[in-house]
């Protein structure tokens, strides 16, 4: 039986899915590039913890949090899908999105993803922003340690977000529903 030859994108996706990364490292397929990142530093995890604590205490509805949850997002056209791992993913608890989810789950139902910049901040600022918009994720919160500010991207359309608000560390940032509170960023300084 004849088989159709694999495309370059299919070979890349198969190779990516077969990767065996070292413990603590994570691999992502972003814009056709395999990216392997080391475990985050303590300040990175501190910022995530501060965010999660505020959401748990102050959000208008119960939200589940998953750190480093694999998401499949459309790359566009006939290209393979991106496989990204946000630093944090929030979803309404009532949906139970994480229960029984595959390692790489679709984005439907995700309320917000967050990234804290690390060794390659431009990837979080641009490539991952476009991935999350393509996935239709309503909110993307970027905690940018290099520029000492927090940006909330909202209203995804196509490959980008139509709106964004940036505040310097130390200023509050209003998060819309389902969060519905002002995120305090003073402790990010």
């Amino acid at each position: 039986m004849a088989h159709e030859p694999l495309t370059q994108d299919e070979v890349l996706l198969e190779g990516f899915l077969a990767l065996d990364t070292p413990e603590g490292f994570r691999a992502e397929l972003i814009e056709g590039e395999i990216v392997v990142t080391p475990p985050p530093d303590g300040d990175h995890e501190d910022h995530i913890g501060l965010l999660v604590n505020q959401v748990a205490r102050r959000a208008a509805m119960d939200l589940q949090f998953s750190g480093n949850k694999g998401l499949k997002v459309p790359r566009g056209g006939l290209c393979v899908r991106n496989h990204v791992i946000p630093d944090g993913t929030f979803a309404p608890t009532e949906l139970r999105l994480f229960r029984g989810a595959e390692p790489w789950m679709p984005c439907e139902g995700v309320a917000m993803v967050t990234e804290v910049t690390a060794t390659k901040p431009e990837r979080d600022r641009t490539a991952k922003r476009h991935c999350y918009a393509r996935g239709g994720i309503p909110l993307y919160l970027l905690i940018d340690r290099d520029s000492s500010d927090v940006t909330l991207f909202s209203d995804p359309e196509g490959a980008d977000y139509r709106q964004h608000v940036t505040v310097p560390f130390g200023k509050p940032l209003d998060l819309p529903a389902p969060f519905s509170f002002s995120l305090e960023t003073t402790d990010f300084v």
Side-chain angles (χ1 to χ4, degrees):
M1 175 178 276
H3 295 283
E4 293 202 24
L6 294 175
T7 66
Q8 184 177 357
D9 284 343
E10 290 169 331
V11 170
L12 179 64
L13 180 59
E14 283 186 18
F16 166 73
L17 293 173
L19 282 176
D20 185 21
T21 56
E23 187 174 334
F25 282 69
R26 65 183 192 188
E28 301 173 277
L29 180 59
I30 304 171
E31 300 286 314
E33 178 183 356
I34 295 175
V35 178
V36 178
T37 54
D41 63 32
D43 289 343
H44 181 280
E45 293 303 284
D46 180 64
H47 284 53
I48 293 292
L50 292 169
L51 172 63
V52 170
N53 287 342
Q54 285 192 56
V55 170
R57 285 191 324 264
R58 303 176 67 201
M61 73 176 334
D62 287 338
L63 295 157
Q64 282 187 306
F65 172 80
S66 178
N68 302 307
K69 179 67 190 120
L71 299 175
K72 291 190 292 190
V73 297
R75 186 167 160 215
L78 300 174
C79 299
V80 297
R81 298 168 85 65
N82 282 310
H83 289 69
V84 294
I85 304 172
D87 291 330
T89 303
F90 292 92
T93 300
E94 66 187 21
L95 297 179
R96 304 286 302 269
L97 284 184
F98 307 124
R99 184 179 197 182
E102 297 290 324
W104 299 100
M105 68 178 231
C107 299
E108 289 81 21
V110 170
M112 181 173 79
V113 292
T114 189
E115 296 285 355
V116 176
T117 58
T119 55
K120 302 231 180 202
E122 201 52 45
R123 188 172 293 128
D124 294 330
R125 293 178 189 134
T126 306
K128 286 187 128 181
R129 183 183 85 227
H130 292 287
C131 287
Y132 300 143
R134 277 191 211 95
I137 297 171
L139 302 171
Y140 170 37
L141 185 73
L142 175 63
I143 301 171
D144 196 322
R145 297 187 299 171
D146 292 337
S147 59
S148 298
D149 58 32
V150 181
T151 301
L152 179 67
F153 296 93
S154 60
D155 196 13
E157 182 177 286
D160 209 351
Y161 288 91
R162 295 189 314 172
Q163 297 180 25
H164 71 276
V165 176
T166 302
V167 299
F169 286 175
K171 300 286 183 186
L173 175 65
D174 290 335
L175 299 179
F179 300 87
S180 304
F181 72 92
S182 290
L183 177 70
E184 293 300 327
T185 66
T186 302
D187 290 338
F188 293 153
V189 177

